[in-house]
Amino acid sequence: MTDLFKEYINTEFKDAVVEFNHATGLDSDDFTLEQKVNNINLQSNIVREELIETITAWGDDEIETLDGLADMWYTLVNLNEKLSLLADPESEAYAEKHVNIKKLEMLSSLCEVVLHDLPSGFTDEQKLAACKLVVDNNKGKYTADKTEFDTWQYDKKLKPKETLWNGVVYYCLVDRNGKVGKHKHFAKVCLKDVISLSDKTEVDEVEQ
C-alpha cells in the first residue's frame, strides 16, 4: 500500500466512516455495552457479505471486484471503529462473552489477505479513486434535508429513521436489523472510468 493510499484510509476515509455511523445512528456515545456489542456482530456480518461478494466476482468481473474491495475497506474500517469503542477492561470482558472472537479474528485475517496479499491487478491509485467514490456514494444514504428525504421512495422492508448528531437531525432508511438501506432512486457507484485509469493524473481527473 502506498503512503498516499494509507494516509487517505487513516484520515479522510476513516472520518467519513465515523460521520456515516453517527449520522445514521449506528454509533453513539450514549450506547450501552449491549448496543455496542450488537453493532459489532451486525457489522461483522456485513463485512462477511462484502468479502463473499468480492471473492465471487474475483477474476470474473473487474468492476464488481474493485467495488467489492472498496466496500471491504469501508466496512472493515467501520468494524474496527466499533471495536475501538470497547477498549476499556469492562467493555472487553463483556465483549468476550457476547462476541465470537475467534470468528472475528478469522474474518479479519481473510480480509487482510484479500486486501493486501492477493494480486488484484489494480493499482493503489485505482483503489484510492474507488474508495473516494464509495465514500461519496454512501453519503447519499443519509441527509439532513427533510424536504429531500420526504421525496425518497423505498421498499416496505425499510423504515425511516431520525438521528440527532452535533445539533443536526439526519434522516436515513434502515431494515429490521438496523442496516442502513437505499431508496429506490439511489445511484450505484460507477467504477467504469476507474478501471481504465493508467496513471495518477487520470485518477485526479475522475475525482474532480
Side-chain angles (χ1 to χ4, degrees):
M1 182 190 297
T2 61
D3 290 340
L4 179 64
F5 189 26
K6 184 183 297 184
E7 179 182 1
Y8 172 71
I9 291 295
N10 292 328
T11 54
E12 294 177 51
F13 193 76
K14 180 179 177 181
D15 290 343
V17 171
V18 171
E19 177 182 307
F20 178 87
N21 286 342
H22 283 84
T24 58
L26 294 179
D27 279 340
S28 171
D29 296 334
D30 299 325
F31 276 0
T32 64
L33 276 176
E34 181 180 2
Q35 287 175 305
K36 291 178 180 178
V37 166
N38 286 341
N39 273 349
I40 288 173
N41 288 326
L42 173 62
Q43 187 62 29
S44 65
N45 288 334
I46 295 174
V47 172
R48 183 182 62 193
E49 290 173 4
E50 296 298 344
L51 173 62
I52 292 173
E53 289 180 9
T54 304
I55 292 174
T56 301
W58 201 277
D60 292 324
D61 189 319
E62 281 190 315
I63 292 179
E64 288 302 318
T65 299
L66 183 57
D67 181 60
L69 289 171
D71 285 341
M72 281 182 63
W73 275 114
Y74 196 94
T75 56
L76 192 58
V77 169
N78 198 333
L79 177 59
N80 288 335
E81 279 300 299
K82 296 182 189 310
L83 288 169
S84 70
L85 300 177
L86 301 176
D88 60 280
E90 179 185 356
S91 298
E92 288 181 352
Y94 182 86
E96 287 178 359
K97 296 179 181 179
H98 298 86
V99 176
N100 189 327
I101 302 298
K102 289 185 177 180
K103 183 177 290 186
L104 198 59
E105 290 175 344
M106 181 184 70
L107 179 62
S108 296
S109 296
L110 290 173
C111 288
E112 288 296 315
V113 169
V114 172
L115 291 172
H116 298 291
D117 298 335
L118 292 182
S120 65
F122 301 114
T123 65
D124 276 0
E125 285 75 19
Q126 288 174 311
K127 295 175 186 177
L128 174 60
C131 284
K132 289 187 175 183
L133 289 174
V134 166
V135 164
D136 289 341
N137 189 258
N138 278 329
K139 287 183 178 181
K141 294 180 181 177
Y142 61 92
T143 179
D145 188 335
K146 183 63 163 60
T147 302
E148 175 193 353
F149 182 71
D150 288 339
T151 66
W152 289 5
Q153 298 178 17
Y154 51 90
D155 191 275
K156 292 181 179 179
K157 295 180 180 179
L158 300 176
K159 62 179 181 180
K161 179 180 179 180
E162 295 183 13
T163 301
L164 177 63
W165 180 51
N166 284 345
V168 179
V169 177
Y170 292 90
Y171 308 89
C172 68
L173 301 169
V174 296
D175 64 16
R176 64 178 183 177
N177 295 316
K179 181 179 179 181
V180 178
K182 308 170 185 176
H183 58 81
K184 291 186 176 180
H185 298 291
F186 187 81
K188 184 177 175 62
V189 176
C190 182
L191 297 176
K192 184 178 180 180
D193 291 338
V194 178
I195 293 293
S196 62
L197 298 179
S198 60
D199 57 44
K200 188 176 183 301
T201 299
E202 291 179 284
V203 172
D204 292 337
E205 291 175 353
V206 169
E207 292 168 2
Q208 292 175 354

